[in-house]
Amino acid sequence: MSDSNKDRWQSDLTLIADAAKEAGAVAFGFFNQSPEVWWKNGDRSPVSAADFAANKTLETILRKARPDYGWLSEETDDDADRLARETVFIIDPIDGTRAFLGGQKVWCVSVAVVHRGRPVAGVLYAPALEEFYQAVEGGVATKNGMPLAVSAARPEETSRLAVGEDLLKTFPPEFRERVSRQKHIPSLAYRIAMVADGRLEGTFVKGNSHDWDLAAADLILACAGGGLVDLDGRPVVYNSAGVTHKVLCAAPVLRIDEFLTAFAGRRDS
């Protein structure tokens, strides 16, 4: 990475960090206040006044500051113009809306800068937990200013995995015996951040996740010594025409092959 790009991404990180904090404060103002709710995706997914307000805050700040960047947000109608841009903002104003509406604290603002398909700056802000994660390409991931590192647990030790009970039952018995299944974590971005800070050894992400769920957390995990990959071990590519993804695995780099092999060895594979 050239020095000019390094400075550019660091400047972008400062920008998105400040924007995420402002959007987080806006969203937090609606927390436990019963905001108005609508339903989308065939009435399967809630979206609230808090999502829209946080999205507006982010869009106002970021698009003004970087008018040449593309834009992809869960709460903005998609514009194919982003496909012609080398660099885009990828946004989820509230990742974990159901948790937010239920008064649970595990939700976050997710903001990433993606360049040529990969994240180069990313932040996650969880206001109710008072946690702020950030990373820039080539740098060290931090949580509230302190460096992050993935778990150093070895394969023979117990692995704390965020994985559905039904899925885990299909894994080889010798693998299941070494797994401590963690309870459901309602924000996907936050779940990946838990792998980055070592509270989880890994997680499997069901198919149909979206760019905005993943991009910022992907970079934070990478800068902490982990990886987010598909079942062939390939990194996620962002800002394509399609923004959904098949099954993914997040884990420390040294454990990815182990987890992918276990997945391939399922009884129903």
Side-chain angles (χ1 to χ4, degrees):
M1 179 172 57
S2 68
D3 287 343
S4 61
N5 271 350
K6 183 177 181 181
D7 291 344
R8 177 183 172 187
W9 307 144
Q10 187 62 54
S11 175
D12 281 354
L13 179 64
T14 300
L15 171 67
I16 65 174
D18 290 344
K21 289 173 182 176
E22 288 200 37
V26 168
F28 194 67
F30 289 87
F31 190 49
N32 286 325
Q33 300 300 314
S34 301
E36 188 171 0
V37 177
W38 299 267
W39 291 85
K40 58 184 183 178
N41 298 330
D43 291 338
R44 295 191 305 272
S45 303
V47 59
S48 74
D51 295 84
F52 289 133
N55 190 67
K56 183 178 180 180
T57 298
L58 291 166
E59 190 164 12
T60 299
I61 295 170
L62 297 178
R63 300 193 86 165
K64 180 179 179 180
R66 301 287 190 271
D68 55 326
Y69 284 17
W71 181 265
L72 175 63
S73 168
E74 181 175 14
E75 309 307 347
T76 305
D77 289 340
D78 196 7
D79 183 350
D81 171 74
R82 65 179 172 81
L83 298 174
R85 309 293 181 114
E86 276 198 329
T87 310
V88 297
F89 292 114
I90 296 186
I91 308 292
D92 193 341
I94 299 180
D95 187 73
T97 297
R98 287 181 185 274
F100 177 93
L101 294 173
Q104 300 177 58
K105 294 183 177 181
V106 183
W107 56 273
C108 60
V109 179
S110 174
V111 185
V113 176
V114 166
H115 180 68
R116 296 179 180 174
R118 289 294 300 162
V120 292
V123 299
L124 297 176
Y125 179 37
L129 297 172
E130 298 183 350
E131 294 178 3
F132 191 86
Y133 298 79
Q134 64 179 3
V136 65
E137 183 185 40
V140 175
T142 63
K143 174 183 177 182
N144 293 349
M146 300 299 293
L148 295 182
V150 294
S151 168
R154 297 183 298 274
E156 64 271 19
E157 299 180 78
T158 298
S159 294
R160 298 159 295 182
L161 294 187
V163 58
E165 187 172 9
D166 289 346
L167 176 59
L168 183 60
K169 286 178 180 178
T170 69
F171 279 69
E174 63 274 14
F175 180 80
R176 292 202 311 271
E177 290 168 1
R178 302 192 307 274
V179 170
S180 171
R181 192 180 77 85
Q182 304 300 292
K183 66 179 182 179
H184 176 65
I185 299 154
S187 162
L188 174 52
Y190 190 83
R191 192 198 325 166
I192 295 170
M194 290 176 67
V195 181
D197 71 14
R199 282 180 287 169
L200 295 174
E201 273 69 54
T203 185
F204 287 95
V205 179
K206 292 181 179 179
N208 207 40
S209 62
H210 296 79
D211 278 12
W212 48 76
D213 303 314
L214 305 169
D218 185 341
L219 181 63
I220 291 164
L221 177 58
C223 290
L228 178 67
V229 300
D230 67 16
L231 296 183
D232 293 316
R234 297 173 300 201
V236 179
V237 176
Y238 299 95
N239 195 37
S240 299
V243 298
T244 60
H245 302 276
K246 295 182 179 180
V247 176
L248 303 170
C249 175
V253 167
L254 296 178
R255 304 290 300 275
I256 288 174
D257 285 348
E258 170 199 347
F259 293 149
L260 292 182
T261 298
F263 191 97
R266 292 174 305 142
R267 291 196 307 271
D268 64 344
S269 61

